Coordinates of all heavy atoms in Angstrom, one line a residue:
M1 N 0.8 -1.2 0.0 CA 0.0 0.0 0.0 C 0.9 1.2 0.0 O 2.0 1.3 0.4 CB -0.9 0.0 1.3 CG -0.2 0.2 2.6 SD -1.3 0.6 3.9 CE -1.8 2.3 3.5
K2 N 0.3 2.3 -0.4 CA 1.0 3.6 -0.5 C 0.6 4.5 0.7 O -0.6 4.5 1.0 CB 0.6 4.4 -1.8 CG 1.5 3.9 -2.9 CD 1.3 4.6 -4.2 CE 2.1 4.0 -5.3 NZ 1.6 4.4 -6.6
M3 N 1.6 5.0 1.4 CA 1.3 5.8 2.6 C 1.9 7.1 2.5 O 3.1 7.2 2.2 CB 1.9 5.0 3.8 CG 1.5 5.5 5.1 SD -0.2 5.0 5.6 CE -0.5 6.0 7.0
P4 N 1.3 8.2 2.8 CA 1.9 9.5 2.7 C 3.0 9.7 3.8 O 2.9 9.1 4.9 CB 0.8 10.5 2.9 CG -0.2 9.7 3.6 CD -0.2 8.4 3.1
K5 N 4.1 10.5 3.4 CA 5.1 10.7 4.4 C 4.7 11.5 5.6 O 5.2 11.3 6.7 CB 6.3 11.3 3.8 CG 7.2 10.4 3.0 CD 8.4 11.0 2.3 CE 9.1 10.1 1.4 NZ 9.9 10.8 0.5
S6 N 3.8 12.3 5.4 CA 3.2 13.1 6.6 C 1.8 13.2 6.4 O 1.1 13.2 5.3 CB 4.0 14.5 6.6 OG 3.5 15.3 5.5
K7 N 1.1 13.4 7.5 CA -0.4 13.3 7.6 C -0.8 14.3 8.6 O -0.2 14.3 9.7 CB -0.7 11.8 8.0 CG -1.9 11.3 7.3 CD -2.1 9.8 7.7 CE -3.4 9.3 7.2 NZ -3.6 8.0 7.5
R8 N -2.1 14.9 8.5 CA -2.7 15.6 9.5 C -3.4 14.7 10.4 O -4.3 14.0 9.9 CB -3.6 16.7 8.8 CG -2.8 18.0 8.6 CD -3.7 19.1 8.2 NE -4.5 19.7 9.3 CZ -3.9 20.6 10.1 NH1 -2.8 21.0 9.9 NH2 -4.7 21.0 11.1
R9 N -3.1 14.8 11.7 CA -3.7 13.8 12.5 C -3.8 14.4 14.0 O -3.0 15.3 14.2 CB -2.6 12.6 12.6 CG -3.1 11.3 13.1 CD -2.1 10.2 12.7 NE -2.6 8.9 13.3 CZ -2.3 8.6 14.6 NH1 -1.7 9.4 15.4 NH2 -2.8 7.4 15.1
F10 N -4.6 13.8 14.8 CA -4.8 14.3 16.1 C -3.6 14.0 17.1 O -3.1 12.9 17.1 CB -6.1 13.8 16.8 CG -6.4 14.4 18.1 CD1 -6.8 15.6 18.3 CD2 -6.0 13.6 19.3 CE1 -7.2 16.2 19.4 CE2 -6.3 14.2 20.6 CZ -6.9 15.5 20.6
C11 N -3.0 15.0 17.7 CA -1.9 14.9 18.6 C -2.5 14.9 20.1 O -3.0 16.0 20.4 CB -0.8 15.9 18.4 SG 0.5 15.9 19.6
P12 N -2.3 13.9 20.8 CA -2.9 13.9 22.2 C -2.1 14.9 23.1 O -2.7 15.3 24.1 CB -2.7 12.5 22.7 CG -1.8 11.8 21.8 CD -1.8 12.6 20.5
K13 N -0.9 15.3 22.8 CA -0.1 16.2 23.6 C -0.6 17.6 23.3 O -0.8 18.4 24.2 CB 1.3 16.0 23.3 CG 2.3 16.9 24.1 CD 2.6 16.3 25.4 CE 3.5 17.0 26.3 NZ 4.0 18.3 26.0
C14 N -0.7 18.0 22.1 CA -1.1 19.3 21.7 C -2.6 19.5 21.7 O -3.2 20.6 21.7 CB -0.7 19.6 20.2 SG 1.0 19.5 19.9
K15 N -3.3 18.4 21.8 CA -4.8 18.2 21.8 C -5.4 19.0 20.6 O -6.4 19.8 20.7 CB -5.4 18.9 23.1 CG -5.0 18.0 24.3 CD -5.7 18.6 25.6 CE -5.6 17.7 26.8 NZ -4.2 17.5 27.2
N16 N -4.8 18.8 19.5 CA -5.2 19.4 18.3 C -4.7 18.6 17.0 O -3.8 17.8 17.2 CB -4.5 20.9 18.2 CG -5.4 21.8 17.4 OD1 -6.3 21.4 16.7 ND2 -5.1 23.1 17.5
Y17 N -5.3 19.0 15.9 CA -4.8 18.3 14.7 C -3.5 19.0 14.1 O -3.5 20.2 13.9 CB -5.9 18.4 13.6 CG -6.9 17.2 13.8 CD1 -7.9 17.2 14.8 CD2 -6.8 16.1 12.9 CE1 -8.8 16.1 14.9 CE2 -7.7 15.0 13.1 CZ -8.6 15.0 14.1 OH -9.4 14.0 14.2
T18 N -2.4 18.2 14.0 CA -1.2 18.8 13.6 C -0.7 17.9 12.4 O -1.0 16.8 12.2 CB -0.2 18.8 14.8 OG1 -0.1 17.5 15.2 CG2 -0.6 19.7 15.9
E19 N 0.3 18.4 11.8 CA 1.0 17.7 10.7 C 2.0 16.8 11.3 O 2.8 17.1 12.3 CB 1.8 18.8 9.9 CG 2.3 18.1 8.5 CD 1.2 17.9 7.6 OE1 0.2 18.6 7.5 OE2 1.4 17.0 6.7
Q20 N 1.9 15.5 11.0 CA 2.8 14.5 11.7 C 3.5 13.7 10.7 O 2.9 13.3 9.7 CB 1.9 13.6 12.6 CG 1.3 14.4 13.8 CD 0.6 13.5 14.8 OE1 0.9 12.3 14.8 NE2 -0.3 14.1 15.4
K21 N 4.8 13.3 11.0 CA 5.6 12.6 10.1 C 5.2 11.0 10.3 O 5.1 10.6 11.5 CB 7.0 12.8 10.4 CG 8.1 12.2 9.5 CD 9.4 12.6 9.8 CE 10.0 11.8 10.9 NZ 11.4 12.1 11.3
V22 N 5.1 10.4 9.3 CA 4.8 8.9 9.3 C 6.0 8.1 9.0 O 6.6 8.3 8.0 CB 3.6 8.5 8.3 CG1 3.1 7.1 8.6 CG2 2.5 9.5 8.5
E23 N 6.3 7.0 9.8 CA 7.4 6.1 9.5 C 7.1 4.8 10.1 O 6.3 4.7 11.1 CB 8.8 6.6 9.9 CG 8.9 7.0 11.4 CD 10.2 7.7 11.7 OE1 11.1 7.7 10.8 OE2 10.3 8.2 12.8
M24 N 7.8 3.8 9.7 CA 7.6 2.5 10.2 C 8.3 2.3 11.5 O 9.6 2.6 11.6 CB 7.9 1.4 9.2 CG 7.5 0.0 9.5 SD 5.7 -0.1 9.5 CE 5.5 -0.9 7.8
A25 N 7.6 1.9 12.6 CA 8.3 1.8 13.9 C 9.2 0.6 13.8 O 8.7 -0.4 13.2 CB 7.3 1.7 15.0
K26 N 10.4 0.6 14.4 CA 11.2 -0.5 14.4 C 10.7 -1.5 15.4 O 10.3 -1.2 16.5 CB 12.6 -0.1 14.9 CG 13.6 -0.2 13.8 CD 15.0 0.2 14.4 CE 15.9 0.9 13.3 NZ 16.9 1.5 13.8
V27 N 10.8 -2.9 14.9 CA 10.3 -3.9 15.8 C 11.6 -4.3 16.6 O 12.6 -4.8 16.1 CB 9.7 -5.1 15.0 CG1 9.4 -6.2 15.9 CG2 8.6 -4.7 14.1
T28 N 11.6 -4.1 17.9 CA 12.6 -4.4 18.8 C 12.3 -5.3 19.9 O 11.1 -5.7 20.0 CB 13.2 -3.1 19.5 OG1 12.1 -2.5 20.2 CG2 13.8 -2.2 18.5
G29 N 13.2 -5.7 20.7 CA 12.9 -6.6 21.8 C 12.6 -7.9 21.5 O 11.6 -8.5 22.0
K30 N 13.3 -8.5 20.6 CA 13.0 -9.9 20.2 C 13.5 -10.8 21.4 O 14.7 -10.5 21.9 CB 13.8 -10.2 18.9 CG 13.2 -11.5 18.2 CD 13.8 -11.6 16.8 CE 13.1 -12.6 16.1 NZ 13.7 -12.9 14.8
R31 N 12.7 -11.7 21.7 CA 13.0 -12.5 22.9 C 14.1 -13.6 22.6 O 14.0 -14.4 21.7 CB 11.8 -13.2 23.4 CG 11.8 -13.6 24.8 CD 10.5 -14.2 25.2 NE 10.8 -15.1 26.3 CZ 10.0 -16.1 26.7 NH1 8.9 -16.3 26.1 NH2 10.3 -16.9 27.7
G32 N 15.2 -13.5 23.5 CA 16.1 -14.5 23.3 C 15.9 -15.8 24.1 O 15.0 -15.7 25.0
S33 N 16.5 -16.8 23.8 CA 16.3 -18.0 24.6 C 16.9 -17.9 26.0 O 17.9 -17.2 26.2 CB 16.9 -19.2 23.9 OG 18.4 -19.0 23.9
L34 N 16.3 -18.5 27.0 CA 16.8 -18.5 28.4 C 18.1 -19.2 28.4 O 18.2 -20.3 27.9 CB 15.8 -19.0 29.2 CG 15.7 -18.7 30.7 CD1 15.4 -17.2 30.8 CD2 14.6 -19.5 31.4
S35 N 19.1 -18.5 29.0 CA 20.4 -19.2 29.0 C 20.5 -20.4 29.9 O 19.6 -20.5 30.8 CB 21.4 -18.1 29.4 OG 21.2 -17.8 30.9
H36 N 21.4 -21.2 29.7 CA 21.5 -22.5 30.5 C 21.8 -22.1 32.0 O 21.3 -22.8 32.9 CB 22.6 -23.3 29.9 CG 22.7 -24.7 30.5 ND1 21.7 -25.7 30.4 CD2 23.7 -25.3 31.3 CE1 22.1 -26.7 31.1 NE2 23.3 -26.5 31.6
G37 N 22.6 -21.1 32.1 CA 23.1 -20.7 33.5 C 21.9 -20.3 34.4 O 21.7 -20.7 35.5
S38 N 20.9 -19.6 33.8 CA 19.8 -19.2 34.5 C 18.8 -20.3 34.8 O 18.1 -20.3 35.9 CB 19.0 -18.1 33.8 OG 18.4 -18.5 32.7
I39 N 18.8 -21.4 34.0 CA 18.0 -22.5 34.2 C 18.6 -23.3 35.4 O 17.9 -23.8 36.3 CB 17.9 -23.5 32.9 CG1 17.1 -22.7 31.8 CG2 17.3 -24.8 33.3 CD1 17.2 -23.4 30.5
Q40 N 19.9 -23.4 35.4 CA 20.6 -24.1 36.5 C 20.4 -23.4 37.8 O 20.1 -24.0 38.9 CB 22.1 -24.1 36.2 CG 22.6 -25.1 35.3 CD 24.1 -25.2 35.0 OE1 24.7 -24.1 35.1 NE2 24.6 -26.3 34.8
R41 N 20.3 -22.0 37.8 CA 20.1 -21.2 39.0 C 18.7 -21.5 39.5 O 18.4 -21.6 40.7 CB 20.3 -19.8 38.7 CG 21.6 -19.3 39.4 CD 21.9 -17.8 39.0 NE 22.4 -17.6 37.7 CZ 21.9 -17.0 36.8 NH1 20.8 -16.4 36.9 NH2 22.6 -16.9 35.6
A42 N 17.7 -21.5 38.6 CA 16.4 -21.8 38.9 C 16.2 -23.1 39.6 O 15.5 -23.3 40.6 CB 15.4 -21.7 37.7
R43 N 17.0 -24.1 39.1 CA 17.0 -25.5 39.7 C 17.5 -25.5 41.1 O 16.9 -26.2 42.1 CB 17.9 -26.4 38.8 CG 17.2 -26.9 37.6 CD 16.3 -28.0 37.9 NE 15.2 -28.3 36.8 CZ 15.4 -29.3 36.0 NH1 16.4 -30.1 35.9 NH2 14.4 -29.4 35.0
K44 N 18.5 -24.7 41.3 CA 19.1 -24.6 42.7 C 18.1 -23.9 43.7 O 18.1 -24.3 44.9 CB 20.4 -23.8 42.7 CG 21.6 -24.6 42.2 CD 23.0 -23.9 42.7 CE 24.0 -24.9 42.5 NZ 25.3 -24.3 42.8
R45 N 17.2 -23.1 43.2 CA 16.3 -22.4 44.0 C 15.1 -23.3 44.2 O 14.1 -22.9 44.8 CB 15.9 -21.0 43.3 CG 16.9 -19.9 43.7 CD 16.3 -18.6 43.3 NE 16.9 -18.3 41.9 CZ 16.3 -18.1 40.8 NH1 14.9 -18.2 40.8 NH2 16.8 -17.8 39.7
G46 N 15.1 -24.4 43.6 CA 14.0 -25.3 43.7 C 12.8 -25.0 42.7 O 11.7 -25.5 42.9
Q47 N 13.1 -24.2 41.7 CA 12.1 -23.9 40.8 C 12.4 -24.6 39.5 O 13.5 -25.3 39.3 CB 12.1 -22.5 40.5 CG 11.7 -21.6 41.7 CD 11.9 -20.1 41.5 OE1 13.0 -19.7 41.1 NE2 10.9 -19.3 41.8
G48 N 11.5 -24.6 38.6 CA 11.7 -25.2 37.3 C 11.7 -26.7 37.3 O 12.3 -27.4 36.4
R49 N 11.0 -27.3 38.3 CA 10.8 -28.8 38.3 C 9.4 -29.2 38.1 O 8.5 -28.4 38.2 CB 11.3 -29.3 39.7 CG 12.8 -29.1 40.0 CD 13.1 -29.5 41.4 NE 14.4 -29.1 41.9 CZ 15.5 -29.7 41.6 NH1 15.5 -30.9 40.9 NH2 16.6 -29.3 42.0
G50 N 9.3 -30.5 37.7 CA 8.0 -31.0 37.5 C 7.7 -31.2 36.0 O 8.6 -31.0 35.1
A51 N 6.5 -31.5 35.7 CA 6.0 -31.8 34.3 C 6.0 -30.5 33.5 O 5.5 -29.4 34.0 CB 4.8 -32.5 34.3
G52 N 6.4 -30.6 32.3 CA 6.3 -29.4 31.4 C 7.4 -28.4 31.7 O 8.2 -28.6 32.5
N53 N 7.3 -27.3 31.0 CA 8.4 -26.3 31.2 C 7.8 -25.1 32.2 O 8.5 -24.2 32.4 CB 8.9 -25.8 30.0 CG 7.8 -24.9 29.2 OD1 6.7 -24.9 29.6 ND2 8.2 -24.2 28.2
K54 N 6.6 -25.2 32.7 CA 6.1 -24.2 33.6 C 6.0 -22.9 33.0 O 6.3 -21.8 33.6 CB 6.8 -24.2 34.9 CG 6.9 -25.5 35.6 CD 6.3 -25.5 37.0 CE 6.1 -27.0 37.5 NZ 6.0 -27.1 38.9
G55 N 5.9 -22.9 31.7 CA 5.9 -21.7 31.0 C 7.2 -21.0 30.8 O 7.3 -19.9 30.2
K56 N 8.3 -21.6 31.3 CA 9.5 -20.8 31.3 C 10.7 -21.7 31.2 O 11.5 -21.5 30.2 CB 9.6 -20.0 32.6 CG 10.6 -18.8 32.5 CD 10.4 -18.1 33.8 CE 11.3 -16.8 33.8 NZ 11.2 -16.1 35.0
W57 N 10.8 -22.8 32.1 CA 12.1 -23.5 32.2 C 12.0 -24.8 31.5 O 10.9 -25.4 31.3 CB 12.5 -23.7 33.6 CG 12.7 -22.4 34.3 CD1 13.8 -21.6 34.1 CD2 12.0 -21.8 35.4 NE1 13.7 -20.5 35.0 CE2 12.6 -20.6 35.7 CE3 10.9 -22.1 36.0 CZ2 12.2 -19.8 36.7 CZ3 10.3 -21.3 36.9 CH2 11.0 -20.2 37.3
G58 N 13.2 -25.5 31.3 CA 13.3 -26.8 31.0 C 12.9 -27.2 29.5 O 13.4 -26.4 28.6
S59 N 11.9 -28.1 29.4 CA 11.6 -28.6 28.1 C 10.8 -27.6 27.2 O 10.1 -26.8 27.8 CB 10.7 -29.8 28.3 OG 9.5 -29.5 28.9
K60 N 11.1 -27.6 26.0 CA 10.4 -26.8 25.1 C 9.1 -27.5 24.5 O 9.2 -28.7 24.5 CB 11.4 -26.4 23.9 CG 12.3 -25.3 24.4 CD 13.3 -24.9 23.4 CE 14.3 -24.0 24.0 NZ 15.5 -23.7 23.2
P61 N 8.2 -26.7 24.0 CA 7.0 -27.4 23.4 C 7.4 -28.1 22.2 O 8.4 -27.7 21.4 CB 6.1 -26.2 23.1 CG 6.9 -25.0 23.2 CD 8.0 -25.3 24.2
A62 N 6.8 -29.2 21.8 CA 7.1 -30.1 20.7 C 7.1 -29.4 19.5 O 7.9 -29.3 18.6 CB 6.3 -31.4 20.7
I63 N 5.8 -28.8 19.2 CA 5.6 -28.1 17.9 C 5.3 -26.6 18.3 O 4.4 -26.3 18.9 CB 4.4 -28.7 17.1 CG1 4.8 -30.2 16.8 CG2 4.3 -27.9 15.9 CD1 3.6 -31.0 16.7
S64 N 6.1 -25.8 17.9 CA 5.9 -24.3 18.1 C 5.3 -23.7 16.8 O 5.7 -24.1 15.7 CB 7.2 -23.7 18.4 OG 7.1 -22.3 18.4
K65 N 4.4 -22.8 17.1 CA 3.9 -22.1 15.9 C 4.9 -21.2 15.2 O 4.7 -20.8 14.1 CB 2.6 -21.3 16.3 CG 2.9 -20.1 17.2 CD 1.7 -19.3 17.4 CE 1.9 -18.1 18.2 NZ 0.8 -17.3 18.4
F66 N 5.9 -20.8 15.9 CA 7.0 -20.0 15.4 C 7.9 -20.8 14.4 O 8.7 -20.2 13.8 CB 7.8 -19.4 16.5 CG 6.9 -18.5 17.3 CD1 6.6 -18.9 18.6 CD2 6.4 -17.3 16.9 CE1 5.9 -18.2 19.5 CE2 5.6 -16.5 17.7 CZ 5.3 -17.0 19.0
K67 N 7.8 -22.1 14.4 CA 8.5 -22.9 13.5 C 8.0 -22.8 12.1 O 8.7 -23.1 11.1 CB 8.5 -24.4 13.9 CG 9.5 -24.7 15.0 CD 9.7 -26.2 15.1 CE 10.9 -26.4 16.1 NZ 11.0 -27.9 16.4
R68 N 6.8 -22.4 12.0 CA 6.2 -22.3 10.7 C 6.6 -21.0 10.0 O 5.9 -20.1 9.8 CB 4.6 -22.3 10.8 CG 4.1 -23.6 11.4 CD 2.6 -23.6 11.3 NE 2.1 -22.2 11.7 CZ 0.9 -21.8 11.3 NH1 0.2 -22.4 10.3 NH2 0.5 -20.6 11.7
T69 N 7.8 -20.9 9.7 CA 8.4 -19.6 9.2 C 7.9 -19.6 7.7 O 7.9 -20.6 7.0 CB 9.9 -19.5 9.3 OG1 10.5 -20.7 8.8 CG2 10.4 -19.3 10.7
G70 N 7.6 -18.3 7.3 CA 7.3 -18.1 5.9 C 5.9 -18.6 5.6 O 5.5 -18.8 4.4
A71 N 5.1 -18.9 6.6 CA 3.7 -19.3 6.4 C 2.9 -18.2 5.9 O 1.9 -18.4 5.0 CB 3.1 -19.8 7.7
K72 N 3.1 -17.0 6.3 CA 2.4 -15.7 5.8 C 3.2 -14.9 5.0 O 4.4 -14.7 5.3 CB 1.8 -15.1 6.9 CG 0.6 -15.9 7.5 CD 0.0 -15.2 8.7 CE -1.2 -16.0 9.2 NZ -1.6 -15.7 10.6
I73 N 2.7 -14.3 4.0 CA 3.6 -13.4 3.1 C 3.3 -12.0 3.4 O 4.0 -11.1 3.0 CB 3.3 -13.7 1.7 CG1 1.8 -13.7 1.4 CG2 3.9 -15.0 1.2 CD1 1.5 -13.6 -0.2
S74 N 2.4 -11.7 4.3 CA 2.1 -10.3 4.7 C 2.5 -10.1 6.2 O 2.6 -11.1 6.9 CB 0.7 -9.9 4.5 OG -0.2 -10.8 5.3
K75 N 2.8 -8.8 6.5 CA 3.2 -8.5 7.9 C 2.3 -7.3 8.3 O 1.7 -6.5 7.5 CB 4.6 -8.1 7.9 CG 5.5 -9.3 7.9 CD 6.9 -8.9 8.2 CE 7.8 -10.2 8.3 NZ 9.1 -10.0 8.1
K76 N 2.1 -7.3 9.6 CA 1.3 -6.2 10.2 C 2.1 -4.8 10.3 O 3.3 -4.8 10.5 CB 0.8 -6.6 11.6 CG -0.4 -7.4 11.7 CD -1.0 -7.4 12.9 CE -2.4 -8.2 12.9 NZ -3.0 -8.3 14.2
T77 N 1.4 -3.9 10.0 CA 2.0 -2.5 10.0 C 2.1 -1.9 11.4 O 1.3 -2.3 12.3 CB 1.2 -1.4 9.2 OG1 -0.1 -1.4 9.7 CG2 1.2 -1.9 7.7
A78 N 3.1 -1.2 11.7 CA 3.4 -0.5 12.9 C 3.8 0.9 12.7 O 5.0 1.2 12.7 CB 4.3 -1.2 13.9
F79 N 2.9 1.8 12.3 CA 3.2 3.1 12.0 C 3.6 4.0 13.3 O 2.9 3.9 14.3 CB 2.1 3.9 11.2 CG 1.9 3.2 9.9 CD1 0.6 2.9 9.5 CD2 3.0 3.0 9.0 CE1 0.4 2.3 8.3 CE2 2.7 2.4 7.8 CZ 1.5 2.1 7.4
K80 N 4.6 4.9 13.2 CA 4.9 5.8 14.2 C 4.7 7.1 13.6 O 5.2 7.5 12.6 CB 6.4 5.6 14.5 CG 6.9 6.2 15.8 CD 8.3 5.9 16.2 CE 9.2 7.0 16.0 NZ 10.6 6.6 16.2
Y81 N 3.9 7.9 14.4 CA 3.5 9.3 14.0 C 4.2 10.2 14.9 O 4.0 10.2 16.1 CB 2.0 9.4 14.1 CG 1.2 8.6 13.2 CD1 0.6 7.4 13.7 CD2 0.9 8.9 11.9 CE1 -0.1 6.6 13.0 CE2 0.2 8.0 11.0 CZ -0.4 6.9 11.6 OH -1.1 6.0 10.9
T82 N 5.1 11.1 14.3 CA 5.8 12.0 15.1 C 5.2 13.5 14.8 O 5.2 13.9 13.6 CB 7.3 12.0 14.8 OG1 7.7 10.7 14.7 CG2 8.2 12.8 15.8
C83 N 4.8 14.1 15.9 CA 4.2 15.4 15.7 C 5.3 16.5 15.3 O 6.3 16.5 15.9 CB 3.5 15.8 17.0 SG 2.8 17.5 17.0
K84 N 5.0 17.3 14.4 CA 6.0 18.3 14.0 C 6.0 19.5 14.8 O 6.9 20.3 14.8 CB 5.8 18.7 12.5 CG 6.3 17.6 11.5 CD 6.1 17.9 10.1 CE 6.5 16.8 9.3 NZ 6.2 17.1 7.8
V85 N 5.0 19.7 15.7 CA 4.9 20.8 16.6 C 5.6 20.5 17.9 O 6.6 21.1 18.3 CB 3.4 21.2 16.9 CG1 3.4 22.4 17.8 CG2 2.8 21.5 15.5
C86 N 5.3 19.4 18.6 CA 5.8 19.1 19.9 C 6.8 18.0 19.8 O 7.5 17.7 20.9 CB 4.7 18.7 20.9 SG 3.8 17.2 20.5
N87 N 7.0 17.4 18.7 CA 8.1 16.3 18.5 C 7.7 15.1 19.3 O 8.7 14.2 19.5 CB 9.4 16.8 18.8 CG 10.5 16.3 17.8 OD1 10.1 15.9 16.6 ND2 11.7 16.2 18.2
K88 N 6.6 14.9 19.8 CA 6.2 13.7 20.5 C 5.7 12.6 19.5 O 5.1 13.0 18.5 CB 5.0 13.9 21.4 CG 5.5 14.7 22.7 CD 5.8 13.7 23.9 CE 6.4 14.5 25.0 NZ 6.9 13.5 26.0
A89 N 6.0 11.4 19.7 CA 5.6 10.3 18.9 C 4.5 9.4 19.5 O 4.6 9.2 20.6 CB 6.8 9.4 18.5
T90 N 3.6 9.0 18.7 CA 2.6 8.0 19.0 C 2.6 6.9 18.0 O 2.9 7.1 16.9 CB 1.1 8.7 18.9 OG1 1.0 9.4 17.8 CG2 1.0 9.6 20.2
Q91 N 2.2 5.8 18.4 CA 2.2 4.6 17.6 C 0.8 4.1 17.3 O -0.1 4.4 18.0 CB 3.0 3.4 18.2 CG 3.6 2.5 17.3 CD 4.5 1.5 17.8 OE1 5.3 2.0 18.6 NE2 4.5 0.3 17.5
Q92 N 0.7 3.6 16.1 CA -0.6 3.2 15.5 C -1.1 2.0 16.6 O -0.4 1.1 16.9 CB -0.3 2.5 14.2 CG -1.4 2.0 13.5 CD -1.0 1.2 12.2 OE1 0.1 0.7 12.1 NE2 -1.9 1.1 11.2
S93 N -2.4 2.2 17.0 CA -2.9 1.3 17.9 C -3.3 -0.1 17.4 O -3.0 -1.1 18.0 CB -4.2 1.9 18.5 OG -5.1 2.2 17.5
Q94 N -3.7 -0.1 16.1 CA -4.1 -1.3 15.6 C -3.5 -1.5 14.2 O -3.8 -0.7 13.3 CB -5.7 -1.5 15.4 CG -6.1 -2.9 15.1 CD -6.5 -3.7 16.2 OE1 -7.3 -3.3 17.0 NE2 -6.0 -4.8 16.3
G95 N -2.6 -2.4 14.1 CA -1.9 -2.6 12.8 C -2.8 -3.5 11.8 O -3.7 -4.2 12.3
F96 N -2.5 -3.4 10.5 CA -3.2 -4.3 9.6 C -2.3 -5.0 8.7 O -1.1 -4.5 8.5 CB -4.3 -3.4 8.8 CG -3.7 -2.1 8.1 CD1 -3.2 -2.2 6.9 CD2 -3.7 -1.0 8.9 CE1 -2.6 -1.1 6.4 CE2 -3.2 0.2 8.2 CZ -2.6 0.1 7.0
R97 N -2.7 -6.0 8.1 CA -1.8 -6.9 7.2 C -1.6 -6.2 5.9 O -2.7 -5.8 5.3 CB -2.3 -8.3 7.1 CG -2.2 -9.0 8.4 CD -2.2 -10.5 8.2 NE -1.7 -11.1 9.4 CZ -0.3 -11.4 9.5 NH1 0.5 -11.1 8.6 NH2 0.1 -12.0 10.7
T98 N -0.4 -6.2 5.4 CA -0.1 -5.7 4.1 C 1.2 -6.3 3.7 O 2.1 -6.7 4.4 CB -0.1 -4.2 4.0 OG1 0.1 -3.9 2.6 CG2 0.9 -3.6 4.8
K99 N 1.3 -6.6 2.3 CA 2.5 -7.2 1.8 C 3.7 -6.1 1.8 O 4.8 -6.5 2.1 CB 2.4 -7.6 0.4 CG 1.6 -8.9 0.2 CD 1.5 -9.3 -1.2 CE 0.7 -10.6 -1.3 NZ 0.5 -10.9 -2.7
K100 N 3.4 -4.9 1.5 CA 4.4 -3.9 1.3 C 3.9 -2.5 1.6 O 2.8 -2.2 1.2 CB 4.9 -4.0 -0.2 CG 6.1 -3.2 -0.5 CD 6.4 -3.6 -2.1 CE 6.9 -2.4 -2.8 NZ 7.1 -2.7 -4.2
V101 N 4.7 -1.7 2.2 CA 4.4 -0.3 2.6 C 5.3 0.6 1.8 O 6.6 0.4 1.9 CB 4.4 -0.1 4.1 CG1 4.0 1.4 4.3 CG2 3.5 -1.0 4.8
E102 N 4.7 1.5 1.1 CA 5.5 2.5 0.4 C 5.2 3.8 0.8 O 4.0 4.2 0.8 CB 5.3 2.3 -1.2 CG 6.2 2.7 -2.1 CD 5.9 2.6 -3.6 OE1 5.1 1.6 -3.8 OE2 6.2 3.5 -4.4
F103 N 6.2 4.6 1.2 CA 6.0 6.0 1.7 C 6.2 6.9 0.5 O 7.3 6.9 -0.1 CB 6.9 6.3 2.8 CG 6.6 5.6 4.1 CD1 7.4 4.5 4.4 CD2 5.5 6.0 4.8 CE1 7.1 3.9 5.7 CE2 5.2 5.3 5.9 CZ 6.0 4.2 6.4
V104 N 5.1 7.7 0.1 CA 5.2 8.5 -1.1 C 5.1 10.0 -0.7 O 4.5 10.3 0.5 CB 4.1 8.2 -2.1 CG1 4.4 6.8 -2.8 CG2 2.8 8.1 -1.5
Ligands
ZN1 ZN1 2.0 17.6 19.2

């Protein structure tokens, strides 16, 4: 889809409609695997025992939905709107699926 580089939009800080810059928000904070050391420490504290992984430790689920890589060809948008007046940024509340975003 085509998206304008700037858009007139409501700014909650200015409480008014202002010109805002549109860009794609960076997806950060990808979750890493829990290190072996922290699992060992949990065992010493008496945690992480029993059946299953208790949502955190030990065994991993047999089939993860994240294993199905490339199942979908579209991705959800996450637009970041930066107000040109107060320079505050807000993020799109509800993303939608699209194959490609083009800023024009
Ligand atoms: Zn503003």
